[in-house]
Structures are given as structure tokens and as C-alpha cells.
Amino acid sequence: MRDLKSMTLEEMTTALKAMGQPSFRGKQVFTWLHKGVTSFDEMTNLPKDLRDKLKSEFTLTVPKVAREQMSKQDGTIKYLWELADGNCIESVLMRYHHGNTVCISSQVGCRMGCAFCASTVAGKVRDLTPAEMLDQVLFTQLDSGLEISNIVLMGIGEPMDNLDTVLRFLELVNHPDGMNIGMRHISLSTCGVIPGIRRLADLGLQLTLSVSLHAPDSETRSKIMPVNRAYDVEKLFDACHDYFKKTGRRISFEYAMIDGVNDQDWQADLIAAKLKGMPGHVNLIPLNDVVESPFKPSKRIAAFQKRLESHGITATVRRSLGGDIDASCGQLRRKAMEEAEKGEKR
């Protein structure tokens, strides 16, 4: 059976015409799906025989809330979604003065192996489908009752490792007959998969590219980010400069501050040197403690920020949201997996 929600409007219209339906049915079905219906029976302006035929030929993805946590401090909501095959992924709804942002996953697990990240502990299980990515936005909005205005692809998984799906998701969520969330309200994060960055540059999408840098020198970065062995940081900086030249869009560099590893003045100086000629923004991230990781939060965030700013680099410290819940990426899924394993051993 085919995944209907992962189809574009054009594909949906073609599929319905092949079933003997008029062209306008495609838009009707597309609109229903992008409102987050949970069954074909909810599509009340379709004939019953068509709804029955849709049931027999297509699947309709509907994630279940496996767990939900809400911060008493700032209203951040963390969702653990159970997918049709029993796998779980995470999404986080964050409230800002400029609107509500949802951070979504692109894969079940991750194979990038970043040493300080909980998402990669159990490795990659599989890629998500476009529908499963869209569902995180749709059902977060429906469950919370809050309108989503911004999307960040920075949850579980590496978006560039599932880029065809990600591009289809972007097309769907941006569609005027769907959620109609503009590209300028979407950020895509990568740990530095250079072919993906170059492909995005050629497409010229008006989204914000975020690069998880975490170290400006190859020796340090290779220790904490295995991806650096495949795509060295020197080549990564070259790709980022080329991306800016082609798109004219500023890149945001994510930088998790790790005590004694990447928080020295010389590393701030090197970042400034590598960004010269390109208006980059460095987002300093207070490290989250991950049980399996030996790395600890840096005590030099303010000093590092000041050093970057002395070179004329725009540097901010990410505001910590959901501090009283498992809001950082991968932690809720990891806990659920551990509890499931304990239950199996009993």
C-alpha cells in the first residue's frame, strides 16, 4: 500500500485520476491530509465509495504520543512519538516571543556518532518518510493547540543523510494548500555532510542552514565528531564559503561548549579566521550532560563569546529551554529504550 501523505499535490491528483476521479479530488484529499485527519472517514466532502477505495489502496500515517513532558518553567513540550512500526522519535515545541517553533527528527536514531549526543547512542535504525516528518509538525500543533510558525530540523538524525526525504518534506510543509510555512521560517541543521551542503546551495532554497561545528580544528573535531574523518573541517569551511557565495544567506554555526575540549581562546581565534569574508553567526550551546558521555559543560562560555566578539563575530548563547524536562535531543527516546530493555529482562 502506498503512503498517500508523502505524495505531492500533483502526484496525488494523478493517482486519483487513475482511479477515475476528477482533478479537484486531489486538492481535497491533500488539504484534508495537511489538516491532520486520522482516518479517511473524516474526509466528509468525499463520496463514501472513494473513501473506502482510499482505505484499500493507501496508508495514512498517524503517530501516537508515547510520552509527553511539559516544562513548568517555560512551557516547552517534549513529545516522544510512536510510529506505525513501533519505533519512536522525538519532537520539541518551544515557545518564543516571535512564535512557536517545533524541532523535529529526520531519522530513527543517527549514525553520525557525535560523542556528546544522546541521539546517536543506539545508532541509526531507519530513515523517516516525508509523511512522518510532516506528522511531527501537524500533530504537535494539534496536540498542543498552538500554531506552529517555525520549524527546526535539528532533532534525532542527520537531515543530509536523508536529504531526498527532507526536500520532499520541505516541499509539502511549504505548500500553500498545506501548512504553508515559509522557507525563511525553517532551519536545517547538519553536522557537516558536504555533498548535502553543496546540493542545497545549488537549489537556492531560502531556508537557514545551521552547521554543527563544535570544533574549528580537525584534530579536536575528529575526536568528538566521526563525520570529520569523512568530511574534514577545512573542506567544510570551504563548502560554507561557497554556499554563502551562491545563496547570499548567512550560515549559523552551532557550537556545543565542552569543558577543556573546544573552549580555548585559540579555538575562538581560529573560528574567526575561518569565517573571514563570510557573515556567519556562532550559536554557543551550553552542553547537556549525557550519562554515556565523559564530556562536561564548559565554564568558559562567556569568555569564549567575548573572544569571538572581539574579532567582530556575531556570537550568542542559546537560551536553555525545558531545563526541568528531558528536552535535549535523544534523551527521552533513550530512557524509553532503557526501560523497555529492563522490562524484557524481567
Side-chain angles (χ1 to χ4, degrees):
M1 298 208 352
R2 290 176 288 174
D3 175 6
L4 190 60
K5 201 184 296 178
S6 288
M7 292 182 178
T8 63
L9 174 57
E10 292 72 23
E11 290 170 343
M12 212 172 287
T13 300
T14 299
L16 286 163
K17 285 175 74 175
M19 296 165 64
Q21 297 296 318
S23 297
F24 70 85
R25 292 292 185 208
K27 184 174 180 180
Q28 286 180 322
V29 173
F30 187 89
T31 302
W32 278 116
L33 291 174
H34 289 247
K35 287 181 178 178
V37 294
T38 58
S39 76
F40 291 109
D41 289 328
E42 294 175 42
M43 300 180 179
T44 52
N45 60 350
L46 302 184
K48 187 179 184 302
D49 62 337
L50 175 55
R51 282 179 269 161
D52 291 339
K53 198 164 186 181
L54 290 173
K55 288 180 199 176
S56 67
E57 295 193 20
F58 298 98
T59 58
L60 180 59
T61 56
V62 181
K64 300 176 183 176
V65 179
R67 297 191 182 190
E68 180 179 343
Q69 296 179 341
M70 179 181 287
S71 170
K72 295 179 181 178
Q73 296 175 357
D74 51 45
T76 296
I77 305 175
K78 180 68 172 279
Y79 289 100
L80 183 70
W81 300 106
E82 183 180 336
L83 307 177
D85 62 358
N87 279 303
C88 290
I89 53 172
E90 295 178 1
S91 307
V92 182
L93 174 64
M94 299 163 286
R95 309 184 198 202
Y96 297 100
H97 68 276
H98 58 267
N100 300 308
T101 297
V102 64
C103 178
I104 67 170
S105 299
S106 56
Q107 296 174 314
V108 179
C110 182
R111 65 174 178 169
M112 294 298 126
C114 298
F116 48 84
C117 180
S119 298
T120 194
V121 171
K124 176 187 168 182
V125 178
R126 69 170 176 86
D127 291 328
L128 295 185
T129 65
E132 288 170 334
M133 294 187 67
L134 183 65
D135 283 342
Q136 294 173 71
V137 186
L138 275 171
F139 288 95
T140 293
Q141 181 167 276
L142 289 169
D143 184 84
S144 68
L146 299 171
E147 183 178 358
I148 303 298
S149 54
N150 302 282
I151 302 171
V152 180
L153 280 73
M154 202 181 288
I156 296 172
E158 164 56 54
M160 297 296 196
D161 193 35
N162 188 20
L163 188 52
D164 287 337
T165 290
V166 166
L167 292 174
R168 171 60 64 92
F169 158 74
L170 292 173
E171 182 180 356
L172 293 175
V173 81
N174 181 237
H175 199 283
D177 292 316
M179 297 197 75
N180 196 25
I181 296 178
M183 286 292 178
R184 290 180 180 269
H185 294 271
I186 300 174
S187 295
L188 186 155
S189 177
T190 177
C191 65
V193 180
I194 293 174
I197 293 173
R198 295 200 178 281
R199 186 174 169 192
L200 271 188
D202 289 338
L203 291 171
L205 301 178
Q206 293 296 295
L207 51 71
T208 297
L209 176 64
S210 294
V211 173
S212 296
L213 182 61
H214 306 312
D217 61 295
S218 191
E219 182 180 357
T220 303
R221 199 166 190 266
S222 290
K223 289 177 182 177
I224 60 176
M225 300 181 72
V227 69
N228 195 73
R229 297 163 200 160
Y231 305 112
D232 187 81
V233 70
E234 294 294 333
K235 294 179 180 177
L236 175 59
F237 280 122
D238 288 342
C240 290
H241 277 275
D242 290 344
Y243 180 90
F244 172 70
K245 288 175 185 175
K246 280 191 174 183
T247 67
R249 296 191 62 77
R250 185 181 74 165
I251 297 173
S252 177
F253 292 90
E254 309 297 310
Y255 203 90
M257 297 293 294
I258 309 172
D259 187 46
V261 175
N262 65 351
D263 60 351
Q264 303 305 300
D265 283 348
W266 68 267
Q267 288 164 316
D269 296 341
L270 185 55
I271 291 173
K274 294 299 182 183
L275 297 190
K276 190 173 181 180
M278 176 177 61
H281 164 246
V282 180
N283 188 21
L284 303 175
I285 306 169
L287 187 72
N288 287 297
D289 268 324
V290 175
V291 176
E292 295 87 350
S293 173
F295 300 115
K296 299 302 172 188
S298 172
K299 304 176 184 67
R300 300 195 70 249
I301 296 178
F304 200 84
Q305 179 185 20
K306 188 174 181 181
R307 188 81 173 193
L308 286 170
E309 290 175 341
S310 72
H311 291 288
I313 300 294
T314 301
T316 56
V317 179
R318 179 185 290 177
R319 183 162 67 100
S320 180
L321 295 176
D324 55 334
I325 59 174
D326 299 310
S328 61
C329 185
Q331 292 199 62
L332 193 55
R333 176 173 174 264
R334 175 177 57 80
K335 286 186 177 182
M337 291 170 65
E338 289 173 352
E339 290 172 9
E341 288 176 5
K342 288 178 183 176
E344 290 175 0
K345 292 176 181 178
R346 287 174 188 163

